Amino acid sequence: MPFGKVLIANRGEIALRIHRACQEMGIRTVAVHSTADTTAMHVRLADESVCIGPPPARDSYLNVAAILSAAAITGADAVHPGYGFLSENANFAEMVEAHGLAFIGPRPEHIRMMGDKIAAKDAMRRLGVPLVPGSLGALSSLEEARSVAGEVKYPVLIKAAAGGGGRGMKVARSEAELEEAWRVARTEAKAAFGDDSVYMEKYLDRPRHIELQVLADGYGNVVHFGERDCSLQRRHQKLVEEAGSPVLAAAERDALGAQVTRALKEIGYRNAGTLEFLWQDGQFAFIEMNTRLQVEHPVTEMVCGVDLVKEQLRIAAGEALGYAQSEVRFHGHAIECRITAEHPETFAPSPGRVGTYHAPGGLGVRVDSALYSGYAVPPHYDSLVAKLIVHGATRAEAIARLRRSLAEMVVDGIETTLPLHRAIMEDPEFQAGDYTIHWLERFVANRT
Ligand code: ADP
């Protein structure tokens, strides 16, 4: 047993996901929650729970002092941050460790390095990982932006160094649009992250978003668990993810995996991480690294037969991986639909009380959700309410399974994106695996 008691510094489906892994390993769990989440499923299922503040996240799920106090009071010996909230906050990871607790995630220095996308790209460039062409560092002036754009050619993308969630990102299709993109990206970045440093990348016209899941034990053992194709996005946010990618050959995966694991070994990376790439014309270009468990991790678990959260717990407790790359096998195909409490056409948020909730089941079906009948989805947090994940022997079987699971699933009382997912699954281009990162925006526009 790696730990006696783990505090889960999160809410919703991911808090449940972590609780389930702990429970199966004989580890007790502590849930923390805001006053808006008193009746939430993660609070109901955890062995213990502590209220850490009022509904706004900055006063509760981002309240470091309250979370550390909750860990001290309950005698927890480790903290799992999940995704979002404090998961990529290097200062939080440092404070957790300074309090004698294990942080279930990477070393603070790596969280810090990858949190600054300019530093991350610089590190990857030195390690020989290919990048999207663009500025070598932060842009110091509009004049510099103009000159870099002249070199890489329009369209270009201005991106926030501290970016996340698609914010602080603006396209300029010609020199006439550059000044506006420069100004808006910096203003957004300043407002969202308190940091207006921006850099430039060539804006690729038809890439796929392909990312690689990695685990490292901190003793020099690094393995990858293949790729996820997350090209189905709206406003740079993922909606549907697949493992493996419908377009990637095994040899391409192996080559990328070898390059990435070598790089992470060199920097002494530890725990789980994901390297994100854009893939176009058979070329990979690194865009960023996420130093945490990701929303879409289940599709990897389904094809590799691995429990990534249990692996994170073992690694955080100082255990070695205990297996080699050659022992990681890929079976069949998995697809995940992110179901959010939003109107399926306008995407207006739709919090409120759920009437009937019925989850689909059967062979190869997994639902990660904190919903239950009668639960009131609070308006204060992320709108993700359920992840429907299916596994099939082939991609065609996975799609058929997803169609029948989406037909079985019921969430009434609130609007959800279930109808949108049902429509995507009927689309011949999706069925053929023929899509880029721009496909879903057009699909959504054509529906309304
Ligand atoms: P964030 O951290 O805000 O999510 P990312 O750098 O991960 O930002 O990019 C999010 C998405 O934006 C990518 O998955 C991709 O769809 C799109 N994107 C990012 N960089 C580029 C680029 N250079 N060209 C085209 N699309 C891009």
Side-chain angles (χ1 to χ4, degrees):
M1 207 194 299
F3 299 108
K5 198 187 270 188
V6 167
L7 181 138
I8 302 164
N10 216 298
R11 65 180 301 283
E13 68 86 18
I14 197 63
L16 278 189
R17 167 72 191 86
I18 297 160
H19 166 80
R20 287 170 173 155
C22 289
Q23 207 86 134
E24 290 175 16
M25 292 172 96
I27 301 171
R28 296 178 60 78
T29 56
V30 180
V32 292
H33 66 93
S34 72
T35 50
D37 276 341
T38 316
T39 58
M41 200 55 150
H42 77 284
V43 178
R44 293 185 164 198
L45 291 188
D47 294 304
E48 291 168 68
S49 65
V50 180
C51 181
I52 50 166
R58 65 175 177 278
D59 301 320
S60 48
Y61 296 102
L62 295 171
N63 184 341
V64 173
I67 292 169
L68 291 176
S69 306
I73 294 165
T74 54
D77 37 23
V79 174
H80 196 309
Y83 54 67
F85 296 131
L86 295 164
S87 61
E88 288 175 293
N89 182 321
N91 295 339
F92 177 65
E94 258 162 16
M95 275 190 257
V96 166
E97 289 179 352
H99 282 73
L101 305 164
F103 179 75
I104 302 165
R107 300 181 207 281
E109 75 228 51
H110 293 138
I111 300 178
R112 195 165 281 130
M113 175 196 282
M114 301 306 170
D116 176 346
K117 293 183 173 191
I118 294 173
K121 287 189 75 169
D122 198 44
M124 288 302 157
R125 186 175 51 82
R126 285 169 209 270
L127 293 162
V129 177
L131 311 177
V132 184
S135 61
L136 269 181
L139 292 168
S140 56
S141 65
L142 180 58
E143 287 63 51
E144 193 189 350
R146 238 180 232 124
S147 110
V148 178
E151 280 163 39
V152 303
K153 306 275 186 292
Y154 290 93
V156 296
L157 192 58
I158 311 257
K159 298 174 83 172
R167 284 169 302 173
M169 213 187 286
K170 285 286 163 259
V171 184
R173 296 191 183 274
S174 65
E175 180 150 353
E177 291 180 11
L178 189 65
E179 187 169 350
E180 165 91 355
W182 161 264
R183 197 174 44 74
V184 176
R186 289 185 15 132
T187 311
E188 255 184 51
K190 183 80 189 169
F193 315 108
D195 173 3
D196 65 2
S197 357
V198 293
Y199 61 104
M200 183 181 287
E201 273 177 4
K202 170 126 190 110
Y203 183 66
L204 301 182
D205 58 346
R206 48 189 167 80
R208 298 181 76 111
H209 173 119
I210 295 182
E211 57 185 36
L212 204 75
Q213 174 69 54
V214 188
L215 279 181
D217 62 9
Y219 306 118
N221 304 304
V222 185
V223 298
H224 73 84
F225 290 85
E227 81 283 6
R228 293 185 285 258
D229 195 318
C230 314
S231 304
L232 291 181
Q233 303 180 356
R234 180 178 167 270
R235 301 201 170 157
H236 309 301
Q237 298 279 76
K238 302 160 186 167
L239 257 90
V240 176
E241 301 100 345
E242 313 195 38
S245 167
V247 295
L248 205 65
E252 289 176 283
R253 169 201 293 159
D254 293 347
L256 182 71
Q259 195 166 39
V260 161
T261 49
R262 203 182 316 122
L264 292 191
K265 190 171 172 162
E266 198 156 318
I267 62 169
Y269 194 76
R270 186 192 70 193
N271 216 285
T274 298
L275 287 96
E276 297 191 336
F277 295 88
L278 295 179
W279 183 89
Q280 186 171 306
D281 302 324
Q283 301 290 316
F284 281 104
F286 172 83
I287 48 171
E288 69 160 339
M289 178 167 183
N290 292 316
T291 52
R292 56 168 160 82
L293 187 69
Q294 286 191 281
V295 175
E296 60 273 24
H297 77 277
V299 288
T300 299
E301 296 187 320
M302 306 290 273
V303 295
C304 294
V306 63
D307 185 321
L308 291 170
V309 177
K310 287 185 184 170
E311 293 303 287
Q312 285 194 294
L313 286 156
R314 287 203 308 116
I315 292 166
E319 282 182 40
L321 275 183
Y323 46 85
Q325 187 65 53
S326 57
E327 292 169 78
V328 176
R329 298 275 158 72
F330 305 96
H331 298 284
H333 194 89
I335 308 178
E336 171 180 281
C337 291
R338 295 192 191 192
I339 298 153
T340 52
E342 291 174 316
H343 189 282
E345 278 155 24
T346 64
F347 297 93
S350 178
R353 192 162 303 277
V354 174
T356 302
Y357 169 62
H358 176 76
L363 182 64
V365 178
R366 165 176 172 182
V367 180
D368 281 19
S369 172
L371 284 183
Y372 57 85
S373 293
Y375 172 66
V377 177
H380 314 281
Y381 312 107
D382 191 272
S383 59
L384 182 70
V385 288
K387 302 190 308 204
L388 171 58
I389 308 117
V390 301
H391 182 254
T394 60
R395 184 169 186 268
E397 187 182 51
I399 294 173
R401 188 158 279 160
L402 205 39
R403 289 165 77 183
R404 75 99 178 133
S405 303
L406 284 162
E408 282 178 27
M409 190 162 184
V410 179
V411 182
D412 65 20
I414 58 171
E415 295 283 357
T416 73
T417 48
L418 273 169
L420 172 62
H421 286 290
R422 291 183 186 124
I424 294 171
M425 294 308 137
E426 299 306 320
D427 187 272
E429 282 175 355
F430 171 77
Q431 290 174 358
D434 182 15
Y435 56 80
T436 71
I437 59 165
H438 306 301
W439 186 88
L440 187 65
E441 295 274 7
R442 277 194 294 267
F443 181 81
V444 168
N446 291 341
R447 280 184 87 221
T448 49

